[in-house]
Amino acid sequence: MGAPAAATTTAGPDVAPGEVESHNMEHVTNVPQSGALTGTGSDLAFQGEYAYAGNYDGFTVYDLSDPAQPDPITQVYCPGAQNDVSVHGDILITSTDSRMEDDSCGADYTSNTADYWEGLRIFDISDPANPQYVQSVETKCGSHTNSLAPTKNDKDLYVYVSSYSPSDQLANCQPPHDQISVVKIPTDDPASAAVVSEPTLFPDGGYEGGEGAASATSGCHDITTFVKHDLAAGACMGDGILMDISDRENPEVIDTVRDTENFAFWHSATFSNDASTVVFTDELGGGGWATCTEEFGPELGANAIYEIEDGEMEFASYYKIPRTNTEEENCVAHNGSLIPVKGRDLMVQSWYQGGTSVFDFTDRENPEEVAWFDRGEGLSDGGTWSSYYYNGYVYSNDLDLGLDVFRLDDSIDGKAKTNLKELNPQGQQKF
């Protein structure tokens, strides 16, 4: 089904080059990139008083016992794009979506199309200051992102592996690749992790693609699970999907939506706390385009909000940051998470060089920005990849500037839950 066009909104002014501005959002500190990890900063996961920050060169563990001054206590050098991270108990998982000579952390990238490795790497983080590499699991077309779905007795941890863009030139990434990989990790024996199913999500082949930037479906980019509701939402290039995951090994697609007018690349998804709504993001231009300009308007490169009723998704509205960026600033909807405030649907989100935005979508048809932080052109080479709310603070992983920490105005998060024990934004938990 298509989505109707959004109403035109008046864009706000851009932040001047070389300057920093914000509204209802205080920049507390920045911890610059350092040591061996000088690649692109990627995703974040949290557990207890620790944050785990992905980087194309590995991951950093930050001690958050003083949230205003995160302390990088260790780095794990283990190259492989994107190194998106997830944590569960003593287990940390990273995604490798690049051809490596082998699965070791010392492996080099390779152009070999027949003999290579890509997939998941599993670490033991029982001692956060000293992570230990445990096992790898090779998956078809690698692992661009990973999403966790533990069983309710926590005996087994299932990982939904998203990957895409097959090629008949690649030995382990053959078309059509209308599937995901499901990896089972016994929580008491992570070394025995293995692929247990490869469900086909698009038996009809999915969206064939359209004119311009509209992407054809050939796998998924990202999946967000909500195990409390036995649901998952998949952002799958040309399709947005809703899945029943009550059978963890065999997720079933129950609804599919398409936006052939305004969406180019279905990138990620976030549920409302009651799972009555899902926010999909469109990564128009793959994160490299300047889409927050008057040329692209308020619909392209935005979020799309869908209401869920009886297992079906219905379009409600779009949300895009109202500031008009320069043509030199890559800007598009990217990774974010809910802010756990009862009675309101609040989300904090990265927009690359568009900065970090907090918006209220309690009124599904009229989402509104309530806070933001933005660095002007020239201060970051790529902007912020992921912005997440965890126990009273917003943490943002910049592509090249390191880790930023923010505090929101009390009018926004004064009643937020601040005792979460763990946060994987692609594995939502009920507040």
Side-chain angles (χ1 to χ4, degrees):
M1 59 185 258
T8 301
T9 59
T10 301
D14 186 34
V15 176
E19 297 186 9
V20 173
E21 294 185 21
S22 65
H23 173 67
N24 283 340
M25 198 167 184
E26 175 193 358
H27 186 222
V28 177
T29 193
N30 170 263
V31 184
Q33 284 188 353
S34 61
L37 307 189
T38 59
T40 299
S42 58
D43 214 359
L44 293 164
F46 304 85
Q47 188 180 83
E49 293 186 339
Y50 298 95
Y52 299 85
N55 182 286
Y56 277 42
D57 287 337
F59 63 91
T60 299
V61 183
Y62 292 93
D63 184 337
L64 303 181
S65 53
D66 179 1
Q69 192 57 55
D71 181 19
I73 58 173
T74 193
Q75 293 183 336
V76 175
Y77 183 75
C78 197
Q82 304 179 134
N83 271 329
D84 277 15
V85 292
S86 295
V87 294
H88 182 79
D90 292 337
I91 298 170
L92 178 143
I93 299 162
T94 63
S95 285
T96 302
D97 190 24
S98 48
R99 281 172 280 151
M100 313 299 293
E101 289 183 341
D102 56 54
D103 64 351
S104 69
C105 281
D108 289 328
Y109 293 90
T110 180
S111 59
N112 194 315
T113 59
D115 185 14
Y116 62 91
W117 177 89
E118 54 183 350
L120 298 180
R121 291 181 174 125
I122 301 168
F123 295 82
D124 181 337
I125 54 169
S126 53
D127 178 3
N130 188 30
Q132 298 295 310
Y133 185 19
V134 175
Q135 180 63 286
S136 71
V137 180
E138 187 172 20
T139 56
K140 289 182 178 178
C141 295
S143 172
H144 196 71
T145 59
N146 68 81
S147 311
L148 307 185
T151 54
K152 293 183 178 179
N153 62 8
D154 207 38
K155 181 179 178 181
D156 295 306
L157 176 63
Y158 287 91
V159 186
Y160 296 144
V161 177
S162 296
S163 56
Y164 58 95
S165 293
S167 168
D168 56 13
Q169 303 300 310
L170 298 176
N172 196 32
C173 190
Q174 293 288 301
H177 194 66
D178 295 320
Q179 63 178 58
I180 59 172
S181 297
V182 179
V183 174
K184 179 180 178 181
I185 306 177
T187 53
D188 62 356
D189 184 20
S192 64
V195 175
V196 291
S197 68
E198 294 173 338
T200 297
L201 303 183
F202 305 99
D204 63 351
Y207 182 51
E208 295 180 352
E211 297 181 1
S215 299
T217 298
S218 60
C220 290
H221 180 276
D222 210 336
I223 292 170
T224 294
T225 63
F226 204 155
V227 296
K228 178 71 174 180
H229 296 280
D230 285 329
L231 288 175
C236 303
M237 304 180 71
D239 291 288
I241 61 174
L242 187 67
M243 293 188 288
D244 181 335
I245 61 169
S246 53
D247 180 350
R248 299 285 190 262
E249 289 192 17
N250 300 286
E252 179 184 359
V253 176
I254 55 178
D255 194 31
T256 300
V257 288
R258 293 175 184 164
D259 182 346
T260 58
E261 181 178 359
N262 289 316
F263 255 48
F265 189 92
W266 296 71
H267 174 275
S268 53
T270 302
F271 286 102
S272 62
N273 188 48
D274 63 359
S276 68
T277 306
V278 60
V279 179
F280 286 104
T281 69
D282 175 17
E283 194 186 40
L284 171 64
W289 289 9
T291 72
C292 298
T293 61
E294 291 183 0
E295 174 189 357
F296 286 91
E299 296 96 0
L300 303 178
N303 296 328
I305 300 170
Y306 286 80
E307 295 184 278
I308 303 170
E309 186 172 349
D310 297 326
E312 296 184 354
M313 295 180 286
E314 185 71 28
F315 176 81
S317 64
Y318 294 105
Y319 170 76
K320 189 174 182 179
I321 61 171
R323 286 167 302 291
T324 302
N325 282 202
T326 72
E327 294 183 355
E328 303 302 317
E329 294 175 282
N330 60 310
C331 176
V332 73
H334 214 238
N335 289 6
S337 73
L338 292 187
I339 299 174
V341 176
K342 185 177 180 180
R344 296 178 70 186
D345 288 310
L346 296 167
M347 183 172 170
V348 58
Q349 183 179 17
S350 283
W351 290 77
Y352 287 107
Q353 287 194 70
T356 294
S357 173
V358 178
F359 67 100
D360 186 330
F361 65 102
T362 308
D363 180 347
R364 311 300 195 230
E365 296 183 358
N366 297 284
E368 179 182 12
E369 185 173 65
V370 294
W372 54 272
F373 172 86
D374 192 356
R375 291 183 172 100
E377 178 189 332
L379 294 182
S380 172
D381 287 340
T384 172
W385 178 291
S386 48
S387 295
Y388 301 134
Y389 187 92
Y390 184 67
N391 291 344
Y393 292 82
V394 172
Y395 298 90
S396 171
N397 205 14
D398 192 275
L399 274 73
D400 71 322
L401 295 183
L403 185 72
D404 287 301
V405 184
F406 304 96
R407 285 296 303 267
L408 296 175
D409 187 87
D410 281 349
S411 64
I412 298 170
D413 72 331
K415 297 181 180 180
K417 185 174 182 179
T418 57
N419 61 347
L420 297 181
K421 297 180 179 179
E422 192 171 274
L423 176 67
N424 293 293
Q426 290 79 32
Q428 287 186 235
Q429 55 185 296
K430 190 174 177 64
F431 301 141

